[in-house]
Amino acid sequence: MTSVLVLNGPNLNLLGTRKPEVYGSASLEDVRESCRQQATALGLDLDFRQSNHEGQLIDWIHECGSDVRAGRSIGAVYNPGAHTHTSIALRDAIEGVELPVVEVHISNVHAREEFRHHSYISPVARGVVVGFGVLGYQLAITGLYELAQQEGRR
Ligand code: DQA
């Protein structure tokens, strides 16, 4: 079965307890479950991961690039957390393997501190979902699926 990767960057393991007034009360396990339901509804397998380590995330992006080329994956929904605003290495990883990525942010980063307004990831993402809370993950999976269908990869 074709899969979709949902990738979570640093501190997203704290979801549910970290700044609930900004990120809500759902845990990362709750997000995994809602993503699983959305993936299943679209006939996809879910591969759901989180890491606090840049190198690990880069390796997973490379791996997913190979899976997309082999027709095993439609790409990645990616919440890069604070790496969004800092990591040229993650941007280069996505670009390097031409990975179809939909970037997702739970909060509306544009309504927050100035340093959250710039994303190194957006220029290499196929789409961006911002500010819908954890619902954004399901919207992003659906968007990535639609793109794959339009491009005959699904
Ligand atoms: C975030 C927004 C980032 O600015 C922040 O560093 C995060 C979470 C979001 O989902 O809203 O860790 O990506």
Side-chain angles (χ1 to χ4, degrees):
M1 201 191 253
T2 313
S3 66
V4 58
L5 175 65
V6 176
L7 208 52
N8 292 280
N11 298 308
L12 288 159
N13 54 310
L14 302 178
L15 217 52
T17 56
R18 169 197 182 202
K19 290 182 83 68
E21 70 282 9
V22 176
Y23 299 116
S25 57
S27 69
L28 195 62
E29 274 311 304
D30 295 333
V31 175
R32 182 201 297 270
E33 178 53 22
S34 63
C35 287
R36 194 196 58 73
Q37 284 175 17
Q38 189 66 15
T40 301
L42 296 170
L44 299 168
D45 264 345
L46 176 70
D47 186 0
F48 190 94
R49 304 182 189 192
Q50 189 274 332
S51 177
N52 294 322
H53 304 281
E54 193 173 32
Q56 176 65 88
L57 290 153
I58 291 168
D59 287 346
W60 285 342
I61 286 167
H62 293 174
E63 195 185 298
C64 190
S66 304
D67 287 343
V68 170
R69 272 195 303 282
R72 292 189 294 264
S73 170
I74 62 164
V77 164
Y78 183 24
N79 185 345
H83 284 150
T84 308
H85 322 297
T86 63
S87 182
I88 297 169
L90 282 162
R91 174 209 159 109
D92 283 354
I94 294 166
E95 192 175 45
V97 298
E98 296 178 6
L99 182 66
V101 163
V102 176
E103 178 183 351
V104 54
H105 298 286
I106 297 164
S107 64
N108 179 359
V109 284
H110 301 290
R112 299 181 63 196
E113 303 96 323
E114 185 95 33
F115 65 83
R116 296 187 202 277
H117 297 182
H118 176 260
S119 169
Y120 281 105
I121 307 301
S122 297
V124 295
R126 301 296 307 275
V128 183
V129 177
V130 166
F132 287 94
V134 295
L135 172 66
Y137 284 85
Q138 287 166 289
L139 300 174
I141 290 172
T142 305
L144 187 64
Y145 176 84
E146 289 292 329
L147 287 175
Q149 265 200 329
Q150 281 168 25
E151 293 164 9
R153 296 185 289 106
R154 185 59 203 152

